[in-house]
Amino acid sequence: MMTLKLMLAILSSVLMIAAPVVFILYMRKKRGARIHFFHILTGIVVGFLCKDVLVNVLGNLLMSLFPSLGSNSIVYTIFLTFLSAAVFLLGLSVVRHSVWKEQVDLSKICGLVIGFVIADILGSYLIINISNITYLLQSADGTLYEKLTESLSAADAQSVIASYEQLTQGYYLYPGIMVIVSLTASYLLTVLMMREYERPRHRLSIVLVMTALVYLVTSLSSPLIFEHADPILLLFAGILFLSAQANSTAIPGE
């Protein structure tokens, strides 16, 4: 019998596929965007480099130079938030100035956003969702403990099972929700970076602050922290999307 948690985990998988597909269809129909593979590939490469490679390398380097950054959870969260924001901003700057040579249009932005989302799915959320579904299926058919003891001690296996049992139902939908947030956040931040400003020097400060805000909200809004994080994240995603749409009206089509 399929449990509610398993249904939510499967729905999470559906959202991972549906979110970028719906975004592509919507932007093609409503905004006339034509999304090309090169821009998607650019987004994947920049996304992996910024969110996985550079953040880890620079984070470890700075932590070794300034151990006090990891002295408490609040300081560490602030440090990681602004480091992630700065690295992502750097990646967007490279794309704007070096890859696109200042030739910006909405189709390129949409392709870049899809690439960012694919990088996030492959780098983070897909693995989490597969682990959740595997746990739920093995727990349902009674093979979970046996499978775990193939690579873990009996005590560690019991600890893993206990940690899963403490998870709320919302946790199993969380990866799919975060894909939606990743998509809308990437859309807004990319639009803010690529649009024109009356005072161009304000561009970096605006994007840096908004990027930090997105990272801070998403890092603190988790079912592991409070039970009803999923609807809050969906509301946040809606606000991000509407903000991106409002800011993207000045960006020309292809």
Side-chain angles (χ1 to χ4, degrees):
M1 181 178 179
M2 184 177 293
T3 64
L4 178 58
K5 288 182 178 180
L6 182 56
M7 292 175 62
L8 291 173
I10 293 173
L11 177 58
S12 179
S13 300
V14 174
L15 290 177
M16 288 185 188
I17 299 172
V21 171
V22 170
F23 178 76
I24 291 172
L25 294 177
Y26 177 85
M27 297 306 292
R28 287 182 62 180
K29 183 176 181 179
K30 297 296 185 179
R31 303 294 300 275
R34 298 174 58 191
I35 300 172
H36 300 280
F37 176 74
F38 172 76
H39 304 307
I40 295 176
L41 183 61
T42 301
I44 294 173
V45 172
V46 173
F48 272 124
L49 287 177
C50 291
K51 297 181 180 181
D52 294 322
V53 178
L54 288 179
V55 167
N56 288 332
V57 171
L58 292 176
N60 291 333
L61 176 61
L62 291 173
M63 288 286 290
S64 64
L65 295 175
F66 307 100
S68 60
L69 292 173
S71 58
N72 64 69
S73 58
I74 296 177
V75 172
Y76 180 73
T77 299
I78 294 173
F79 159 69
L80 189 60
T81 294
F82 279 95
L83 175 64
S84 300
V87 171
F88 189 65
L89 177 58
L90 174 63
L92 289 176
S93 299
V94 171
V95 171
R96 178 185 175 93
H97 299 298
S98 300
V99 179
W100 292 353
K101 308 293 185 183
E102 303 290 344
Q103 300 299 312
V104 176
D105 60 54
L106 189 61
S107 295
K108 291 178 181 178
I109 289 175
C110 291
L112 196 68
V113 169
I114 293 300
F116 287 151
V117 173
I118 291 174
D120 281 343
I121 292 173
L122 297 179
S124 302
Y125 304 121
L126 182 61
I127 297 173
I128 295 173
N129 206 57
I130 290 175
S131 297
N132 289 341
I133 292 176
T134 300
Y135 157 74
L136 291 168
L137 290 175
Q138 291 179 352
S139 180
D141 63 20
T143 62
L144 178 60
Y145 180 77
E146 179 183 348
K147 295 290 186 181
L148 288 174
T149 52
E150 291 178 0
S151 57
L152 300 173
S153 67
D156 288 340
Q158 291 288 0
S159 177
V160 170
I161 293 173
S163 65
Y164 268 104
E165 289 177 347
Q166 293 173 1
L167 296 175
T168 63
Q169 293 176 346
Y171 180 81
Y172 296 93
L173 185 60
Y174 176 71
I177 298 295
M178 280 304 300
V179 169
I180 298 175
V181 174
S182 171
L183 188 151
T184 55
S186 297
Y187 181 31
L188 174 60
L189 297 175
T190 305
V191 165
L192 290 177
M193 184 64 196
M194 303 304 175
R195 61 161 291 182
E196 296 300 328
Y197 293 86
E198 292 184 6
R199 298 181 178 181
R201 68 177 182 274
H202 291 169
R203 180 194 313 276
L204 296 183
S205 58
I206 291 172
V207 180
L208 180 61
V209 169
M210 285 304 302
T211 307
L213 176 63
V214 168
Y215 276 100
L216 189 60
V217 171
T218 54
S219 63
L220 295 178
S221 300
S222 166
L224 296 175
I225 299 176
F226 59 98
E227 184 176 357
H228 303 294
D230 288 348
I232 292 174
L233 286 170
L234 276 178
L235 177 61
F236 184 56
I239 294 172
L240 293 176
F241 182 76
L242 292 175
S243 301
Q245 286 288 82
N247 280 275
S248 68
T249 54
I251 296 176
E254 187 177 29

